[in-house]
Amino acid sequence: MQEDSPVQNENTPDTTTRIEQLQRAGRRNRLIVLAAAALVALGIGGVAVATTGNNHPAPTAVSLDAQSRVEAASRADRSARESSTPVTPSASPTTSPSAASASPTPTKTAAAKAKPKPKKTTKPTPAWVDPMPGASVTSCYGQRWGALHAGIDLALPSGTPIRAAAAGTVTQAGDASDGYGNSVFIDHGNGYLTHYAHQSRIAVTVGQKVKAGQVIGYEGATGDATGPHLHFEVHQGMWNQIDPAPFMRSHGVDLGC
């Protein structure tokens, strides 16, 4: 009878040693995994607790970790894109000559800043004026002492200037006789003349052009006069005396008669 060969036990020393090594390695790996998980859980939990600060439940470690990875990937992708895109410095705006010349800025000089002085304007002289303004009327046109007084007498102190009643040409300047004394006659070119008698001094000559208001002589008492005054007449044609009062009023001058 053949003797059976001894059956080898599965738990031989080599096998036993290998199993124990594997068991120890597995326990070590589990410990490492558990420790790592605990560290991760502690870190993420601390962040969650610090950021929430309220009664809302903190997000799980897995969701926070996934969110962190997404944000990190997004930052990395944006950083890569921004660094790969060359940044071109913007050129400073320039003004074309045409644009500059289109709207020039005026330079104010001292003369431009100074306000222009108003021009002195002189009031235009009327066509007809009072021959001796401010004078008192001592006699009007009409019958006096049985004869026609053919003019208006105007009195002021001797030497008062006498003015041309309107523009015209001097036709006579000197003694007119018939008691008028020193006289000036002015033809106004419209068929009418004016006569200024009893002057102390004459200031114009025959043929001279005069303007309305221009001084033609000075008041006096030459000829038949009881005192210094101006005897003023209006002639419609030479020596055809008319009443000066209505004639002068029709030309805007009131002599007081």
Side-chain angles (χ1 to χ4, degrees), residues 7 12 26 35-36 84 99 131 133 173 178 212 222 232:
V7 179
T12 59
S84 62
D178 293 335
T222 59
F232 176 69

Side-chain angles (χ1 to χ4, degrees), residues 109-201:
T109 60
K113 291 179 181 178
K115 292 183 179 180
K117 293 182 180 179
K119 294 181 179 179
K120 292 182 179 180
T121 57
T122 56
K123 190 175 180 180
T125 304
W128 289 78
V129 300
D130 190 332
M132 202 160 68
S136 300
V137 177
T138 57
S139 183
C140 293
Y141 178 90
Q143 293 295 322
R144 188 179 65 177
W145 305 327
L148 177 63
H149 182 248
I152 297 176
D153 290 345
L154 303 170
L156 276 175
S158 181
T160 300
I162 299 170
R163 303 178 184 277
T169 304
V170 177
T171 57
Q172 290 189 34
D175 190 350
S177 68
D178 293 335
Y180 285 111
N182 292 330
S183 298
V184 171
F185 290 82
I186 299 175
D187 185 353
H188 300 289
N190 57 357
Y192 291 88
L193 294 87
T194 50
H195 177 197
Y196 311 80
H198 305 309
Q199 295 187 37
S200 61
R201 181 164 60 90

Side-chain angles (χ1 to χ4, degrees), residues 63-89:
S63 62
L64 287 177
D65 185 54
Q67 183 178 356
S68 299
R69 288 198 299 271
V70 171
E71 291 176 353
S74 177
R75 286 195 299 271
D77 180 65
R78 183 168 62 252
S79 176
R81 284 187 284 106
E82 290 177 354
S83 61
S84 62
T85 304
V87 179
T88 303

Side-chain angles (χ1 to χ4, degrees), residues 3 7 31 39 41 72 95 98 119 126 140 154 160 168 182 199 221 233 236 255:
E3 188 176 346
V7 179
L31 289 174
L39 290 174
T95 304
S98 59
K119 294 181 179 179
C140 293
L154 303 170
T160 300
N182 292 330
Q199 295 187 37
E233 296 180 349
Q236 188 174 7
L255 295 180

